[in-house]
Amino acid sequence: MLIRNVEVAGHGPAVDVRIEGGRIAGIGTGLTGRAELDGRGGALLPGLHDHHIHLAALAAEAASVRVGPADVRGRTAFAAALTCGRPGEWVRAVGYHEAVAGELDRWTLDALVPDRPVRVQHRTGALWVWNSAALRAVGLEGDGRFWREDERLRGFVPPVRLDLEGVGRRAAALGVTGFTNADPHPAAGLTQLLSVLPQRLLVMGVDEPVKLMLDDPTLPTPAQLARTIGEIRPRPVAVHCVTRVQLLVTLLALDEAGPVGGDRVEHGSVIPAETVPWLRRLGVTVVTQPHFPVERREAYATDVDADDRPHLYRCRTLIEAGIPVAAGTDAPYGTADPWAVMRVATRRDDGERLQPEAALRLFTGEPRHPSRTRRLTVGAVADLCLLHVPLREALRTLSGELVRAAYVSGRPVTPE
């Protein structure tokens, strides 16, 4: 096919792009092609890649009740949300934070909803809380709190309809042509399940890198983590780091095991200034969520230690230090809109604000090397995002509404 009259970085405005065999076959003027599309002067960009997302959980949201601080406030509203739907049906609630109605356990939920099975997922995705009706239904006991037990719980809960088609359609409308699924323990058959998505797909643990989860209560020593990394080598690792101590253990372990190309720190929630030169020396990529300090400002004001707040989700300081940086939405635990993430990254007031061009680059990296910005050149894979407007105008608003079409290997995945 031929896309005429588009703006391509490095080639200027009003050029044509020919696509053959899923790759860019030509960029210039006067090109010919069988199927033609007039770009009307809009920018043609590399398709966006969400470098950290949880696709099955995002697809399950269609069958879930949102109970986060932005959705409900107080016990009464929380109880009302948990009683929606037909009596007796299981309720799957997601996005919960203690700001809604305090700490939860089975008895707290029983006081609100005693007569139907209810399970509530914390906003972090790490904790499920079940009420007594849910526990009785499957023969489980305890206080109803399950920390990082998704793998075990899968065999007990009723099937949930996964709206993967909707996930793929909505993402394509935003110009997203690729995902990196970041589940720490991907379920058997996950890659096949996700294959219905039109986007390019990388599944951590099945594909490189290998995801490693760290939690403070079960934190390994640096030597233990180094041994685990050594067993995984020569494959790169992506280490989940959401606390200061998790980052320090990871850096010590990578020092001992030795870094390899493709190693990543996921989230980098707390990166103290003194660790920035260390990160640079190791050459690891930080895949972060620059929107969280704004999206979760109220919660972080009370949940995060005052000593850690100046070091949350660094962007600008890392880039200026020469550290490779990319971003993922972490959806459904954050917004699924990469453009919203970019906008927030350009409006932060904590010294980490990015220029719009740098914010866009957070989502245009190579899937396996997220900080390597993809360029539209002859021979490149034709994963493309066509905008309604030139790039300069798009950078002023950074809005998904400016996306006209998306292409994966030259195949349109959005209706024209």
Side-chain angles (χ1 to χ4, degrees):
M1 68 173 295
L2 186 69
I3 305 177
R4 290 198 177 278
N5 187 25
V6 290
E7 177 191 33
V8 177
H11 296 271
V15 298
D16 307 332
V17 176
R18 187 172 67 240
I19 301 168
E20 295 177 1
R23 293 182 178 271
I24 297 174
I27 303 175
T29 56
L31 303 182
T32 59
R34 286 178 294 179
E36 295 188 6
L37 172 70
D38 184 357
R40 301 195 290 265
L44 187 65
L45 310 175
L48 305 184
H49 190 98
D50 191 330
H51 295 288
H52 186 114
I53 191 170
H54 302 274
L55 290 162
L58 180 59
E61 278 207 320
S64 307
V65 180
R66 295 288 311 176
V67 292
D71 308 294
V72 297
R73 279 287 187 177
R75 289 172 60 85
T76 301
F78 181 44
L82 296 179
T83 54
C84 66
R86 288 179 291 184
E89 284 189 340
W90 277 73
V91 176
R92 183 183 193 273
V94 297
Y96 185 80
H97 183 268
E98 290 76 12
V100 172
E103 295 280 350
L104 297 182
D105 57 25
R106 68 183 291 181
W107 300 285
T108 307
L109 288 177
D110 287 349
L112 301 173
V113 189
D115 56 352
R116 58 163 41 183
V118 170
R119 54 190 177 118
V120 180
Q121 187 184 44
H122 194 269
R123 181 171 66 185
T124 61
L127 174 69
W128 282 97
V129 184
W130 292 25
N131 72 347
S132 294
L135 294 170
R136 286 194 300 269
V138 299
L140 293 177
E141 299 181 350
D143 63 1
R145 292 169 62 87
F146 300 98
W147 177 263
R148 298 259 187 239
E149 295 195 60
D150 291 58
E151 198 170 5
R152 180 168 80 97
L153 296 178
R154 286 187 192 117
F156 292 102
V157 297
V160 174
R161 186 180 71 86
L162 300 181
D163 183 23
L164 286 166
E165 291 81 2
V167 168
R169 184 176 60 253
R170 289 186 291 272
L174 294 169
V176 176
T177 59
F179 295 117
T180 294
N181 191 77
D183 296 352
H185 305 291
L190 179 63
T191 300
Q192 183 177 358
L193 176 71
L194 299 179
S195 65
V196 301
L197 293 165
Q199 285 80 10
R200 193 173 301 279
L201 186 64
L202 186 153
V203 177
M204 285 188 182
V206 178
D207 308 305
E208 296 178 355
V210 177
K211 177 79 175 285
L212 295 178
M213 282 296 304
L214 298 183
D215 287 310
D216 285 1
T218 58
L219 195 64
T221 66
Q224 289 169 335
L225 182 58
R227 283 195 293 274
T228 299
I229 293 172
E231 293 168 359
I232 292 169
R233 294 300 193 222
R235 291 176 295 168
V237 295
V239 188
H240 168 99
C241 292
V242 297
T243 65
R244 180 187 295 247
V245 66
Q246 289 171 20
L247 178 66
L248 293 175
V249 167
T250 297
L251 297 181
L252 287 165
L254 287 172
D255 256 345
E256 183 172 339
V260 301
D263 280 343
R264 298 164 46 152
V265 163
E266 301 299 307
H267 307 299
S269 306
V270 182
I271 299 182
E274 60 270 21
T275 65
V276 171
W278 198 351
L279 279 164
R280 180 180 179 179
R281 176 171 57 79
L282 288 169
V284 298
T285 297
V286 176
V287 179
T288 189
Q289 287 74 48
H291 52 307
F292 279 0
V294 176
E295 198 173 89
R296 302 179 176 182
R297 186 189 304 272
E298 184 176 340
Y300 284 175
T302 56
D303 295 354
V304 176
D305 189 279
D307 290 339
D308 288 340
R309 287 177 211 149
H311 311 297
L312 291 174
Y313 294 94
R314 292 185 182 273
C315 284
R316 181 177 175 178
T317 53
L318 298 182
I319 293 171
E320 289 180 345
I323 294 167
V325 178
T329 62
D330 201 26
Y333 312 115
T335 177
D337 181 356
W339 297 95
V341 176
M342 295 178 216
R343 286 197 302 275
V344 170
T346 65
R347 298 172 184 174
R348 287 178 58 170
D349 58 3
D350 55 1
E352 298 299 332
R353 178 182 301 176
L354 296 181
Q355 293 300 311
E357 296 89 343
L360 178 60
R361 285 195 294 270
L362 294 175
F363 289 96
T364 57
E366 297 177 7
R368 284 186 169 81
H369 298 280
S371 67
R372 296 181 187 173
T373 303
R374 286 171 287 131
R375 309 288 183 187
L376 300 192
T377 58
V378 174
V381 174
D383 292 353
L384 308 170
C385 172
L386 176 61
L387 303 183
H388 286 288
V389 299
L391 182 58
R392 178 174 294 183
E393 184 176 340
L395 292 174
R396 285 200 292 266
T397 57
L398 292 174
S399 170
E401 294 181 358
L402 300 179
V403 175
R404 179 179 171 189
Y407 303 84
V408 175
S409 292
R411 177 176 55 87
V413 291
T414 49
E416 168 55 24

